[in-house]
Amino acid sequence: MNKTELIEEIAKSADITKASATRALDAMLNAVTETLKKNDSVTLVGFGTFTVGERAARTGRDPRTKEAIKIKAARVPKFKAGKALKDAVN
């Protein structure tokens, strides 16, 4: 499912226009993004938790030249599924 299909599903399920569903989805995604930028987490009970993890600096290999390269440390978004979501999938 892509973003357009998700918006259509939200509009149908909530009985709202696609424009309203788009604004709601964009607002939710922006809120999650801004919260993660502040290094906080977002917990949606039953669905899951979005957090920020730290990835240490490391040495990698350039696949073309096989030369060693330095990969700098980074903050990365993570998602851990909640129990209700896990149970729904299984």
Side-chain angles (χ1 to χ4, degrees):
M1 175 180 281
N2 62 30
K3 186 175 179 180
T4 303
E5 293 167 338
L6 179 59
I7 288 169
E8 289 174 6
E9 187 62 32
I10 291 169
K12 188 172 80 173
S13 296
D15 194 27
I16 58 176
T17 65
K18 286 183 185 178
S20 294
T22 300
R23 287 193 303 276
L25 180 60
D26 287 343
M28 184 269 199
L29 295 175
N30 287 337
V32 171
T33 301
E34 291 303 315
T35 302
L36 293 178
K37 280 183 182 179
K38 296 175 188 170
N39 210 25
D40 286 338
S41 65
V42 177
T43 302
L44 303 172
V45 177
F47 184 73
T49 303
F50 296 91
T51 58
V52 176
E54 300 290 331
R55 185 181 298 157
R58 62 194 191 279
T59 303
R61 292 239 172 249
D62 183 330
R64 285 180 282 165
T65 63
K66 307 296 185 216
E67 193 174 307
I69 57 173
K70 291 183 181 180
I71 302 170
K72 62 183 178 179
R75 293 173 52 204
V76 293
K78 293 183 177 185
F79 177 75
K80 182 178 180 191
K83 184 178 182 333
L85 181 59
K86 288 179 188 175
D87 290 346
V89 172
N90 290 320

